[in-house]
Amino acid sequence: MPRTFWVETLGCPKNQVDSDKLTGTMLADGLVPAAAPETADLVVVNTCAFIEDARQESGDVILGLAERKPSGAELVVTGCLAERYGSDLAEALPEADAVAGFGVPVTLGPTGRGGSAPVPAFDLLNLPRPAPAAPWAYVKAAEGCDRACGFCAIPSFRGKQRSRSIASILAEVEDLAAGGVREVVLVAQDLASFGRDQGRGKRRIVPLVRAVARRVDRVRLLYLYPSDLTDELIDAVCATGVPYFDLSLQHASRSLLRRMRRWGDGDRFLRRIDDIRRRVPEAAFRSNFIVGYPGETEDDHDQLLSFVTRADLDWAGFFAYSEEQGTYAARLDGKVDAALVGERLAELGELQDGITARHRDVLIGSVVEVLVDAPGVARSHREAPEIDGVVSVPADLPVGELAKVMITGAAGPDLEAEAAA
Ligand code: SF4
């Protein structure tokens, strides 16, 4: 009987790519997927350590799976939490047979191998992945980050940016396209800097986007640092037919952004956004913001409110600042009271919900092209998978088809549509 495995994935889309690759490796090793953790010989938890809540969730899921798995099955913890807390985590989690950060294999192979066995180097980025289950897929272009944002611990445990070769990315994209994928979502910690670590510091994101666009119908880019949003990159994105800009802005107050050790300010961001809208009026925008970063004043908060109003983004996420051990921000004074952070988050969330709803309402009556992800569920260029809203479409539209539909209604972030005549 082949050994069976179960993979549980927490955290962001980038983690899902890692899990896909782990799954691909285990399949190649002769393991087969289990129907549930209760019947698996090997249970892998791909954790997230982004903020305290995510760490807590990862811990809860590990302990839950430790109880659910059959006695004798192996439990392996990988992902950010394992990378960041390595041996401390292994000590704190006697339930786990192995705690393996990135760069080591977690598959124990058909014969099994203890957690303490020596492990060879392992390049997760370039591993094969299993056949796609949906007509879209994340593709990770690089790992690590060369920036030093004050709040972020990622560079300390993921290391410096390591970009893949364009050839290896394209080979993966071609395999995915052969398996029915029509939309590739490129991800990296700092995607616009892709390729800067290869050769003489030159970014390669534009040639990458163009090359991927020649192989699939849609290319979508997630996490663009605003200073790297060059005219050339904007043109390349618009030329793909998916004018969707996920800008990593984090705040609008110039002084607070400097305290975050980041580039830009609200006015600069607005100029860039207006510039894109002038070129492509139907461009869609998403961004994330941190609320309650140390030193955030009422004036900073007002600047962010004003920016959110003026930027009129389709989608925005607001997150409470989470103090990360060892980061620059952890040493800053001016901690913001949790109750005040809650009030600011509520105010921003309410403001953005209204803006998002307005963006959705104006689409009623228009015809848009959607990619059918699953029976009855589709997305236009305005919706990134798993992050934004969806378009409900007639259930008989074939999965994987690009179809024209007429928007007939809106419900919160989601739209309803019928087949266009
Ligand atoms: S660019 Fe992103 S991953 Fe890199 S340090 Fe800043 S927040 Fe962290």
Side-chain angles (χ1 to χ4, degrees):
M1 276 270 286
R3 299 183 81 223
T4 58
F5 69 90
W6 177 266
V7 179
E8 191 80 29
T9 306
L10 299 158
C12 66
K14 295 187 281 293
N15 251 19
Q16 186 56 53
V17 183
D18 291 339
S19 286
D20 286 353
K21 296 200 166 189
L22 292 171
T23 299
T25 308
M26 288 190 278
L27 291 171
D29 277 357
L31 280 77
V32 295
E38 285 80 359
T39 56
D41 297 312
L42 169 62
V43 174
V44 180
V45 191
N46 189 2
T47 57
C48 175
F50 187 49
I51 56 171
E52 181 52 36
D53 285 354
R55 289 193 287 272
Q56 184 66 45
E57 187 193 5
S58 292
D60 293 348
V61 168
I62 294 166
L63 295 177
L65 286 168
E67 282 186 10
R68 288 171 65 193
K69 75 174 179 65
S71 65
E74 281 162 303
L75 176 65
V76 175
V77 178
T78 188
C80 297
L81 202 67
E83 178 98 330
R84 194 162 171 195
Y85 298 106
S87 55
D88 290 349
L89 186 67
E91 252 173 55
L93 276 178
E95 295 84 354
D97 296 287
V99 173
F102 298 102
V104 296
V106 299
T107 173
L108 304 184
T111 55
R113 193 163 66 204
S116 56
V119 284
F122 174 85
D123 187 354
L124 198 56
L125 275 176
N126 292 306
L127 277 179
R129 58 196 291 174
W136 64 271
Y138 293 117
V139 171
K140 205 188 249 191
E143 185 58 274
C145 181
D146 291 340
R147 299 191 193 272
C149 302
F151 51 81
C152 182
I154 287 175
S156 72
F157 62 94
R158 287 274 171 122
K160 291 276 181 204
Q161 178 173 268
R162 289 177 293 119
S163 299
R164 296 172 67 185
S165 70
I166 291 188
S168 121
I169 297 171
L170 294 181
E172 184 173 338
V173 168
E174 282 165 8
D175 279 353
L176 290 166
V181 164
R182 305 194 71 174
E183 175 172 333
V184 161
V185 183
L186 290 173
V187 294
Q189 260 87 35
D190 181 9
L191 185 59
S193 293
F194 168 78
R196 196 164 46 187
D197 49 308
Q198 295 169 335
R200 295 183 302 276
K202 201 163 175 285
R203 292 177 189 83
R204 307 270 296 141
I205 184 67
V206 170
L208 176 67
V209 170
R210 290 187 181 138
V212 175
R214 284 196 290 273
R215 286 162 175 82
V216 281
D217 297 286
R218 284 183 175 180
V219 192
R220 191 183 296 275
L221 281 67
L222 296 188
Y223 322 119
L224 297 174
Y225 193 90
S227 62
D228 284 349
L229 195 62
T230 59
D231 283 340
E232 206 192 0
L233 179 55
I234 293 170
D235 288 341
V237 169
C238 293
T240 67
V242 182
Y244 179 95
F245 292 87
D246 176 23
L247 307 178
S248 170
L249 300 181
Q250 309 303 346
H251 214 280
S253 153
R254 182 182 169 83
S255 57
L256 199 70
L257 281 163
R258 292 304 167 277
R259 259 172 96 83
M260 289 181 173
R261 308 212 288 190
R262 287 180 63 93
W263 177 91
D265 56 57
D267 287 341
R268 282 185 153 172
F269 300 157
L270 284 173
R271 280 201 294 275
R272 219 68 192 111
I273 291 165
D274 288 347
D275 187 30
I276 295 170
R277 283 195 172 121
R278 262 196 306 278
R279 295 179 206 205
V280 183
E282 69 275 18
F285 293 87
R286 156 170 281 284
S287 190
N288 287 331
F289 301 92
I290 291 176
V291 177
Y293 186 80
E296 185 187 58
T297 61
E298 271 312 308
D299 181 55
D300 293 326
H301 175 60
D302 288 345
Q303 287 187 48
L304 183 53
L305 284 167
S306 157
F307 174 79
V308 169
T309 304
R310 291 191 296 156
D312 197 27
L313 305 175
D314 298 72
W315 313 102
F318 302 94
F319 300 93
Y321 165 73
S322 163
E323 185 173 298
E324 297 300 312
Q325 225 181 348
T327 56
Y328 167 80
R331 300 192 302 273
L332 290 178
D333 53 13
K335 305 279 181 270
V336 184
D337 178 68
L340 184 56
V341 173
E343 280 172 30
R344 289 177 180 172
L345 279 172
E347 197 176 2
L348 286 158
E350 198 178 320
L351 174 62
Q352 182 61 43
D353 284 352
I355 294 171
T356 295
R358 195 158 30 74
H359 275 280
R360 304 307 265 169
D361 286 345
V362 296
L363 292 170
I364 296 172
S366 64
V367 172
V368 298
E369 186 180 75
V370 292
L371 174 62
V372 183
D373 284 346
V377 182
R379 290 173 299 105
S380 73
H381 78 273
R382 293 184 175 83
E383 299 93 23
E386 296 183 332
I387 301 172
D388 303 326
V390 295
V391 184
S392 298
V393 295
D396 58 354
L397 282 179
V399 171
E401 186 166 298
L402 283 164
K404 292 255 195 284
V405 295
M406 158 87 81
I407 306 298
T408 54
D414 299 329
L415 295 173
E416 287 146 23
E418 58 189 35

